[in-house]
């Protein structure tokens, strides 16, 4: 039984290797998605609080409920790109206005590895 199991494992490994199992091939066909630049975003969302229910998600309209509680117009705005901490100030202000409504501590405007830090 051990020999049969080992044979099957080896056969599966060979098939996957020969077939060139590349999970990213489908993802790469359109190229990478560039996140929106935080500094040039006209707005980040409608300012509504949301949750992971149909009614809660509806509060965002056509946007997305980021972090499970704050509406953003698109995922690329919730995790937008930056070059300096100053690029993140408007996003931090948007998030902090909502965090104040929920009596949560504010986030700071900081750019880390090209993305604004501070999950909503």
């Amino acid at each position: 039984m051990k020999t049969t199991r080992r044979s099957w494992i080896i056969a599966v490994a060979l098939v996957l290797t020969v077939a060139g199992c590349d999970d990213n091939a489908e993802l790469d066909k359109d190229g990478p998605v560039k996140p929106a630049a935080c500094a040039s975003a006209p707005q980040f969302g409608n300012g509504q609080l949301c949750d992971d229910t149909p009614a809660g998600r509806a509060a965002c309209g056509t946007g997305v409920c980021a972090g499970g509680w704050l509406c953003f117009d698109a995922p690329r705005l919730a995790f937008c790109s930056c070059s300096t901490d100053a690029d993140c100030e408007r996003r931090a202000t948007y998030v902090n206005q909502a965090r104040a409504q929920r009596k949560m501590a504010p986030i700071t405007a900081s750019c880390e590895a090209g993305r604004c830090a501070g999950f909503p």
Side-chain angles (χ1 to χ4, degrees), residues 46-62:
N46 63 10
Q48 296 294 310
L49 301 180
C50 55
D51 58 42
D52 198 25
T53 64
R57 288 187 299 272
C60 298
T62 60

Side-chain angles (χ1 to χ4, degrees), residues 14-111:
L14 286 173
V15 167
L16 291 176
T17 302
V18 171
C21 185
D22 184 7
D23 291 337
N24 294 325
E26 187 67 23
L27 296 175
D28 292 339
K29 72 178 182 181
D30 294 329
V33 176
K34 183 174 173 131
C38 294
S40 64
Q43 66 179 32
F44 291 95
N46 63 10
Q48 296 294 310
L49 301 180
C50 55
D51 58 42
D52 198 25
T53 64
R57 288 187 299 272
C60 298
T62 60
V64 63
C65 185
W69 69 275
L70 180 58
C71 293
F72 278 84
D73 287 343
R76 60 188 186 84
L77 293 172
F79 305 102
C80 50
S81 65
C82 56
S83 298
T84 66
D85 290 347
D87 293 342
C88 300
E89 287 187 25
R90 288 182 42 248
R91 179 188 175 273
T93 299
Y94 175 73
V95 171
N96 285 335
Q97 288 171 344
R99 289 176 75 89
Q101 291 178 35
R102 295 191 69 182
K103 298 185 182 1
M104 298 170 70
I107 63 170
T108 59
S110 66
C111 181

